Amino acid sequence: MEPAPEMKRNRFPSMNFEAEILAAPHDNSELYVVPSMRSLTAEEYVEAFKSFLDHSTEHQCMDEFNKEEMPRIMAGLGNGKSTINVLGVGSGTGEQDLKMLRILQAAHPGVLINNEIVEPNPQHVAAYKELVNQAPDLQGVSFIWHQLTSSEYEQQVKEKCINKKFDFIHMIQMLYRVEDIPNTIKFFHSCLDHQGKLLIIILSDSSGWASLWKKYRHCLPSTDSGHYITSDSITAVLRRLGIQYRVHEFPSGWDITECFVEGDPAGGQMMDFLTGTKNFLGTAPPALRRRLQEALCQPECSSKKDGRVIFCNNLSMIVVES
């Protein structure tokens, strides 16, 4: 998932783990209290996300989409205009944005591109700017950064009565953190120019995440990890809004083997990312740890390959028409 946690809200059903907070120490002397569980900060999320990327094919999956589908999508943008306007919402550190911009440049040689970015995390904005500084092939592309959440950007646009339209808007792995998903989609769809396109990349309903959230929600801690949503939730919103769309499914995997290796630092970071919890393995009640690790091994969530446990991280690329 892209590292763009927008806001902190607890949307989880209340879960009662109090009975499991007290645990017997190894020496059987007296009961001790397990340290309290808490959500990841924005900085901790960045670290956990990096561990996820290092062990998953998330970006390779997006590269396949860029290769197979994006040239055709980009070719249909702009409607012959001399300038194409692009908006990235929750763009993170910008790697995927720049790949798409290069495809757009190739599809429309000589056309100017105005690229605006909405990203709340200052670390990500700084990293994105550094990427741009190191990219000599992006002449003809202008960049404007808005260090805001999507809801803050929407509020600013409405308050200032800004009526700028975009030919291409993308929201990559960021809707999990949005306060009001239907209205957010409706707003950004309204920002599309004639024949513009909105790209939403979200976890597929065929992913292990979907099974984990649907069948094993009780295994997840009551921390602030965001919405449990997959592609089906998004397409249901689009149908209610009467908006046309196409869905492209792409396979992706995440090697979570180290999650089951006691004391492994990478495994600890992966579990933090999975649960949205800081030091989950060190602070979760033992019974909760066991339940979640057992759930992760279920065939609905993962498969075994060459002795490794590969979590299903399939993605849906939803292309929305203006």
Side-chain angles (χ1 to χ4, degrees), residues 3 38 47 49 53 69 81 107 116 136 140 149 184-186 196 199 201-203 212 243 245 249 262 268 282 284 287:
R38 68 165 175 83
E47 287 302 309
F49 177 75
L53 285 184
E69 300 293 341
K81 295 189 296 186
E116 297 195 28
T149 66
T184 296
I185 293 174
K186 185 177 180 180
L199 171 64
I201 297 183
I202 199 89
L203 286 162
L212 188 68
I243 297 172
Y245 64 89
E249 295 276 337
E262 191 71 31

Side-chain angles (χ1 to χ4, degrees), residues 8-13 15 17 36-40 177 220-228 271-278 280 283 288:
K8 294 290 182 182
R9 295 283 188 277
N10 192 343
R11 300 182 190 81
F12 290 74
M15 289 177 278
F17 293 129
S36 60
M37 300 166 71
R38 68 165 175 83
S39 301
L40 295 171
R177 293 286 180 173
L220 296 174
S222 183
T223 51
D224 198 8
S225 297
H227 288 289
Y228 292 130
M271 291 296 279
D272 289 0
F273 184 73
L274 262 165
T275 62
T277 305
K278 176 60 178 174
F280 172 80
T283 61
L288 177 59

Side-chain angles (χ1 to χ4, degrees), residues 1-2 12 40 45 48-49 51-53 56-58 173 176-177 202-217 220 225 227-231 252-256 259 269-277 292 295-296 298-302 310-316:
M1 294 192 279
E2 280 301 297
F12 290 74
L40 295 171
Y45 184 92
F49 177 75
S51 176
F52 163 73
L53 285 184
S56 77
T57 63
E58 169 112 342
Q173 293 283 49
Y176 315 99
R177 293 286 180 173
I202 199 89
L203 286 162
S204 169
D205 228 60
S206 68
S207 70
W209 296 94
S211 296
L212 188 68
W213 293 337
K214 287 175 182 174
K215 297 186 178 181
Y216 305 105
R217 186 173 293 191
L220 296 174
S225 297
H227 288 289
Y228 292 130
I229 57 163
T230 50
S231 55
S252 175
W254 177 21
D255 188 335
I256 61 169
C259 287
Q269 281 199 318
M270 289 186 220
M271 291 296 279
D272 289 0
F273 184 73
L274 262 165
T275 62
T277 305
L292 182 55
L296 290 173
Q298 298 305 308
E300 307 98 298
C301 291
S302 59
I310 309 299
F311 187 78
C312 180
N313 189 61
N314 294 352
L315 300 181
S316 292

